Amino acid sequence: MTSPRMIKGGIVQVDPASGTRLKVIALQYNPDSLSRTLQIQASGTEGGDRSQALRLRGAAVETIKLEAEVDATDQLAAAEPAACSLGIHPQLATLELLVQPTSAALQANDAMSRSGVLEVLPLEAPLTLFVWGRNRVVPVRITDLSVTEEAFDVNLNPIRAKVSLGLRVLSVDDLGFDSRGGALYLTYLRSRESLAGRSASANLSALGLEVI
């Protein structure tokens, strides 16, 4: 009997205008756990207008945290040239560049500044998507990235590391309804609504009540 293929979580970067896929990063190993926090955007505040107490100002702010492992053990055992000469430097560099502007973009901004451009706009990053199965494809901003290198080869190339990622889900409040990222967020929200619809409502008796 063939075991089902285990899909991997990962990150996809796309061009926000054209939707062209720029980079796909599959996690080497799926993390054992993933934590999510949803911060409610409510209108009512303590001691404020009571008419606003049940109103929501917008989508909840969702943050995701996970810890991934990167390991070159199998590649070293197979004597793969890149692993033998560089360890996991390439994999770590790929993740680090998710939160860095390119050197070319930095130089272009510097050139504009030196030429007297009055307002140099902040550098725009690609649209980053966190993919965790078909039901969770969400636009995100990477808020923090930390790397703990745990083992090295004789040339001090890292060969095992843990990478902690903090992600903030970008909603239509951040991206707008007409953007590619905003459309992806709405698809994600509709998926959550559909999944919630499959969960049957419990009876009041389960809570020890007959009426409310």
Side-chain angles (χ1 to χ4, degrees):
M1 182 177 178
T2 303
S3 300
R5 181 175 66 92
M6 177 70 75
I7 63 173
K8 295 183 177 183
I11 292 172
V12 179
Q13 284 193 318
V14 300
D15 183 279
S18 67
T20 302
R21 186 172 66 245
L22 303 175
K23 185 180 292 293
V24 178
I25 302 172
L27 300 178
Q28 186 177 7
Y29 306 107
N30 285 333
D32 293 329
S33 65
L34 178 151
S35 64
R36 300 165 55 232
T37 302
L38 282 80
Q39 181 181 358
I40 300 170
Q41 300 301 295
S43 294
T45 57
E46 188 174 348
D49 186 350
R50 293 178 182 176
S51 68
Q52 301 297 311
L54 301 180
R55 297 185 185 277
L56 298 175
R57 289 190 288 108
V61 176
E62 180 177 358
T63 54
I64 299 171
K65 289 189 177 295
L66 60 95
E67 192 171 84
E69 294 185 6
V70 185
D71 194 325
T73 300
D74 292 341
Q75 291 86 348
L76 291 172
E80 291 187 8
C84 292
S85 61
L86 296 170
I88 57 172
H89 268 311
Q91 294 92 321
L92 295 180
T94 297
L95 292 170
E96 290 164 20
L97 288 180
L98 291 173
V99 296
Q100 295 274 24
T102 65
S103 57
L106 288 173
Q107 287 180 312
N109 262 21
D110 179 64
M112 286 191 292
S113 178
R114 290 173 181 271
S115 68
V117 175
L118 294 179
E119 183 181 6
V120 178
L121 295 176
L123 297 169
E124 184 176 18
L127 176 62
T128 301
L129 308 175
F130 175 61
V131 180
W132 192 261
R134 292 181 178 273
N135 291 316
R136 198 175 300 168
V137 179
V138 286
V140 297
R141 176 187 297 120
I142 298 176
T143 56
D144 57 89
L145 168 67
S146 64
V147 179
T148 303
E149 299 177 1
E150 299 181 323
F152 304 87
D153 64 14
V154 294
N155 295 312
L156 292 184
N157 293 311
I159 56 175
R160 187 175 71 245
K162 285 185 178 178
V163 179
S164 296
L165 275 172
L167 312 170
R168 181 187 182 279
V169 175
L170 300 177
S171 72
V172 288
D173 293 335
D174 303 298
L175 300 168
F177 285 87
D178 297 329
S179 68
R180 189 172 303 276
L184 285 167
Y185 176 80
L186 287 176
T187 299
Y188 167 64
L189 185 57
R190 293 187 186 106
S191 172
R192 307 307 293 172
E193 293 167 349
S194 176
L195 290 169
R198 297 191 177 198
S199 177
S201 178
N203 293 321
L204 277 176
S205 59
L207 308 180
L209 301 175
E210 294 181 2
V211 294
I212 291 182

